Amino acid sequence: MKILITGGAGFIGSHVVRLFVNKYPNYQIYNLDKLTYAGNLENLTDIEHKENYSFLKGDITDAAYLDEIFGNYKFDAVIHLAAESHVDRSIADPLAFVQTNVIGTVNLLLAVKKHWADDLEKHLFYHISTDEVYGSLGEDGLFTEETPYDPRSPYSASKASSDHFVRAWYHTYGLPVKISNCSNNYGPNHFPEKLIPLAINNIKNERPVPVYGKGENVRDWLYVLDHARAIDVIFHNGKVGDTYNIGGINEWKNLDLIELLCDVMDEKLGREKGHSRKLITFVKDRAGHDLRYAIDSSKLVNELGWKPSVTFEEGLSKTVDWYLENNEWLEHVTSGNYTHYYEEQYTNR
Ligand code: NAD
Ligand code: DAU
């Protein structure tokens, strides 16, 4: 089977690519990525020479490029992760999110409609989405697959739009599709603009740790490898046309999470307990900041037998260890040096 994974040089995509390349040596995995600021081939150095892995540098907003690669490689399935993914950036530059998340997704759907037309039913388009499409919860309740869409940020509006287009292709053209909506991921290779890696980097360097508003917003955190495992299970066993919610059953208020992280890092760095908490700095709140996300993933658990395998204590400890051990990765990402890796490793071959 030939699988096109988009966004495979990013945070979650790199874990999905690695899992598929290692677990399924008979599959040919093609990683299509534009290598934006968030795409980093240093995330995949351990598998880049495997025979069943290929990297394709390209932009999903480029319809002619997609037409060319779908014609050349004859993919059997697509797992679509490529996206602009950071809410704060979407507030500053919404159009970039419309371009990649909406137009880019529709371009992919047009390419599959054209290239899979003769035997559409033998193919699969699996779209990776977010719980943010459901909006914001109050103190109680969980997002289910039936929760009406209510996106509130430019990021979540663009992801909701892409979900609708994927479903439209299922209903209108009969394209076999699957969609999953996941909660907040954390773990190795997370770009240090997002809360957990940003806080780890700042605590390590004794810099202020910005907490938006009063730190009362709640997120449901899932270790990234558990998300990759869920994607594997849904890709192979999920029902065509269905949606699956994926969550960690692991809700944390931002301030509680940051305090815990400070304590974990004080212990690992041999600092006095309470030292890093002094770095916590309350800053202006995010515009339109969703109060609470929490996912009911019982459909995935009951129908497909998936459940999170890593506890938050374990996952956070592993994540902190990874960032402390991978100074070079962090230094390259924060300095921008990682962008040279593609030129060095790929263009001179
Ligand atoms: P990321 O920002 O780390 O990675 C995105 C990847 O997409 C990068 O490698 C980037 O280079 C690539 N990309 C961006 N624009 C592109 C384009 N026009 N053409 C080709 N490639 C392009 O994102 P992530 O956190 O790994 O998220 C991956 C997917 O999972 C996204 O669709 C996101 O909406 C979804 N998701 C993320 C989370 C989370 O907590 N991070 C949770 C649920 C769902
Ligand atoms: O829920 C899934 C979503 O989770 C994904 O779809 C997104 O791609 C991903 O970025 C993430 O979105 P969030 O906005 O929840 O993640 P972020 O790490 O940016 O912020 C987590 C919480 O922490 C949120 O309430 C905002 C807050 N925050 C964030 C940053 C970067 C801070 O308090 N300080 C910060 O510096």
Side-chain angles (χ1 to χ4, degrees), residues 13-281:
S14 60
H15 290 280
V16 175
V17 165
R18 178 177 299 100
L19 186 152
F20 273 71
V21 165
N22 287 334
K23 187 169 172 187
Y24 303 106
N26 297 333
Y27 293 0
Q28 200 60 39
I29 304 300
Y30 297 86
N31 171 13
L32 162 59
D33 201 295
K34 181 182 175 185
L35 300 183
T36 66
Y37 79 95
N40 182 357
L41 288 175
E42 290 182 17
N43 293 345
L44 290 167
T45 48
D46 56 323
I47 57 122
E48 68 185 5
H49 296 296
K50 296 243 175 173
E51 280 186 8
N52 65 334
Y53 171 75
S54 310
F55 176 66
L56 305 171
K57 186 172 190 293
D59 186 337
I60 58 168
T61 67
D62 182 348
Y65 174 76
L66 294 182
D67 192 36
E68 185 189 317
I69 60 166
F70 273 81
N72 286 346
Y73 296 105
K74 314 265 182 263
F75 307 118
D76 299 295
V78 172
I79 305 178
H80 176 36
L81 296 105
E84 288 294 337
S85 67
H86 192 38
V87 174
D88 293 327
R89 286 180 189 254
S90 83
I91 295 166
D93 181 12
L95 199 53
F97 286 67
V98 176
Q99 268 150 1
T100 286
N101 300 0
V102 184
I103 309 285
T105 301
V106 174
N107 274 339
L108 278 168
L109 290 167
L110 286 167
V112 304
K113 180 169 166 287
K114 175 178 168 189
H115 289 275
W116 296 352
D118 291 341
D119 51 359
L120 207 56
E121 69 291 346
K122 292 194 180 142
H123 295 85
L124 176 65
F125 189 95
Y126 179 10
H127 179 59
I128 307 305
S129 192
T130 170
D131 61 355
E132 299 198 11
V133 298
Y134 298 123
S136 181
L137 292 164
E139 296 292 315
D140 306 314
L142 300 171
F143 296 133
T144 73
E145 288 82 0
E146 277 72 48
T147 302
Y149 274 33
D150 183 21
R152 288 144 175 267
S153 72
Y155 164 70
S156 53
S158 70
K159 290 296 290 186
S161 173
S162 64
D163 292 11
H164 290 319
F165 273 106
V166 172
R167 289 197 183 96
W169 250 246
Y170 171 67
H171 290 291
T172 309
Y173 306 112
L175 175 70
V177 306
K178 297 177 186 180
I179 298 180
S180 53
N181 298 81
C182 189
S183 64
N184 286 62
N185 287 214
Y186 71 101
N189 304 113
H190 206 182
F191 196 85
E193 63 184 352
K194 310 278 167 58
L195 179 67
I196 290 184
L198 180 135
I200 292 174
N201 192 28
N202 286 15
I203 293 167
K204 181 177 155 222
N205 294 304
E206 305 226 37
R207 286 201 297 255
V209 179
V211 171
Y212 296 167
K214 293 181 182 158
E216 285 174 346
N217 305 66
V218 174
R219 297 292 182 264
D220 171 4
W221 294 95
L222 178 70
Y223 194 60
V224 64
L225 285 170
D226 278 328
H227 188 188
R229 286 177 48 248
I231 289 172
D232 178 19
V233 168
I234 294 166
F235 178 82
H236 287 97
N237 304 324
K239 210 172 135 220
V240 168
D242 268 22
T243 295
Y244 295 87
N245 280 353
I246 310 170
I249 320 165
N250 180 39
E251 289 181 50
W252 283 82
K253 273 193 181 161
N254 291 340
L255 183 56
D256 295 342
L257 166 56
I258 294 304
E259 286 179 348
L260 172 67
L261 193 55
C262 287
D263 297 347
V264 168
M265 289 194 62
D266 280 348
E267 201 177 319
K268 288 190 189 282
L269 293 168
R271 292 179 185 163
E272 193 189 330
K273 190 168 170 13
H275 179 85
S276 297
R277 286 191 185 209
K278 292 184 202 132
L279 299 168
I280 293 174
T281 308

